[in-house]
Amino acid sequence: DLDQLEYYCEKLYTTDDPVVRTQAEKACASLCDRRDCPSVCQLLLQRSTSCYAQLIASTALTKYISNRDAVIPLTTRLEIRDYVLNFLASRSDLEKFVQQALVTLVCRLTKTGWFDFLENNEGFRDILTCASKFIESGQSSAVLVGVQLLNNLVSEMNQNAESDMTRIIFLQRKLSASFRDCLLLPIFRLSLNLLREADKNIQSLDFSNVNQVISEFVSSRIVVITMTCLMQYAFSRDRELKSLMQLRCSRPPPELTIAQRH
């Protein structure tokens, strides 16, 4: 029952009753294991006015799509991504922690589906276009979401999320290199352009104006994106060089010819 689930989501963070808390923990923890998790979570996001229910729905979806043992069709994952992006675009009044949880969900979907494609469809690799739409809207709250998407994306694509170390090394290097070659430079260029725009407006900044204060905060996040892009590029290149050196050192030396021996 959706109303009962929403009740438990609220009580998980607000109740002092240990019995109710235990029931709430059980109900919320099992949400990501349900086969109807996507539809239930979308209903929670759509219908609930509780920020706690929205947070639980966001984190449950993130756990659901991060489960390597779950077989989730690409079309379903894209539908979840598009729904969350539309939800973020239409709800500028979200609590910051809910907004951040939804941004994390979008970035995790992008990461786990990076190598998945549909015919005549970029799949999840159009994330820069999606983030740019938020930024180009000109609304402070939407620009902030777009910047958060890019900031989280650059970090997410270079984080290990597997428990198998062998799988981590192989997949993460492959993923990082592909992301670097496809999107890291365009994101870096976009962040530089945004910084130039922010620099033009900094002299007229009015800290009594809420929108301008938000713009200043956005500028600080853009700086983070720019620096993160540079660091991730350097780290990925360093990893590649180390891998090449290890490969070269692991090869046996060539056998000497008779002439070389003498």
Side-chain angles (χ1 to χ4, degrees):
D1 180 65
L2 196 64
D3 292 332
Q4 186 178 42
L5 181 57
E6 184 177 358
Y7 166 80
Y8 280 135
C9 290
E10 181 79 22
K11 291 301 179 182
L12 182 63
Y13 292 95
T14 59
T15 187
D16 293 326
D17 188 331
V19 176
V20 175
R21 178 178 291 278
T22 300
Q23 293 173 340
E25 288 175 349
K26 183 178 180 180
C28 294
S30 63
L31 180 56
C32 62
D33 297 324
R34 294 174 53 164
R35 296 185 64 180
D36 60 347
C37 176
S39 58
V40 172
C41 289
Q42 287 182 31
L43 283 174
L44 272 178
L45 288 170
Q46 183 178 343
R47 288 178 44 182
S48 179
T49 57
S50 168
C51 59
Y52 300 117
Q54 293 168 345
L55 177 63
I56 292 297
S58 305
T59 53
L61 275 173
T62 302
K63 292 178 181 178
Y64 176 77
I65 60 97
S66 300
N67 183 2
R68 285 197 296 115
D69 297 326
V71 180
I72 310 172
L74 175 57
T75 52
T76 300
R77 285 178 280 140
L78 285 170
E79 287 171 1
I80 295 172
R81 195 276 304 265
D82 292 342
Y83 175 84
V84 173
L85 287 173
N86 289 329
F87 186 78
L88 283 167
S90 62
R91 296 291 298 273
S92 59
D93 59 337
L94 291 173
E95 293 289 344
K96 296 304 179 185
F97 55 84
V98 175
Q99 189 178 83
Q100 182 59 51
L102 290 169
V103 166
T104 299
L105 170 58
V106 172
C107 294
R108 185 66 55 81
L109 279 163
T110 303
K111 180 176 183 175
T112 57
W114 184 255
F115 294 110
D116 299 332
F117 296 96
L118 290 172
E119 187 176 357
N120 299 322
N121 190 305
E122 288 185 278
F124 290 96
R125 297 197 182 193
D126 64 347
I127 185 64
L128 179 56
T129 302
C130 298
S132 296
K133 289 179 180 178
F134 282 92
I135 295 171
E136 291 167 0
S137 71
Q139 299 178 357
S140 298
S141 57
V143 173
L144 179 58
V145 171
V147 170
Q148 283 181 312
L149 278 169
L150 295 180
N151 191 26
N152 275 53
L153 180 65
V154 174
S155 298
E156 178 72 33
M157 296 299 278
N158 288 277
Q159 289 179 356
N160 297 326
E162 300 281 350
S163 57
D164 183 348
M165 289 304 297
T166 303
R167 185 181 177 87
I168 286 175
I169 294 172
F170 175 74
L171 287 182
Q172 189 58 54
R173 287 180 179 174
K174 181 180 178 182
L175 182 66
S176 297
S178 177
F179 177 72
R180 179 198 66 206
D181 296 340
C182 292
L183 284 187
L184 197 60
L185 181 58
I187 292 175
F188 178 69
R189 285 174 172 166
L190 175 59
S191 67
L192 288 180
N193 289 334
L194 291 173
L195 282 176
R196 291 190 187 100
E197 290 296 321
D199 184 59
K200 293 178 183 177
N201 301 324
I202 196 168
Q203 297 297 330
S204 59
L205 186 64
D206 179 9
F207 283 96
S208 63
N209 186 315
V210 175
N211 287 331
Q212 290 197 26
V213 172
I214 293 175
S215 298
E216 180 65 11
F217 176 73
V218 169
S219 299
S220 68
R221 305 310 300 168
I222 297 170
V223 172
V224 173
I225 296 174
T226 308
M227 296 304 298
T228 305
C229 285
L230 289 172
M231 291 172 63
Q232 296 301 346
Y233 178 78
F235 289 158
S236 64
R237 295 297 297 169
D238 183 61
R239 282 196 297 264
E240 285 188 358
L241 290 173
K242 286 182 178 178
S243 297
L244 289 173
M245 290 298 293
Q246 290 173 356
L247 181 62
R248 183 173 297 178
C249 293
S250 64
R251 291 177 178 173
E255 293 186 5
L256 297 176
T257 63
I258 296 176
Q260 288 174 325
R261 291 174 184 172
H262 297 284

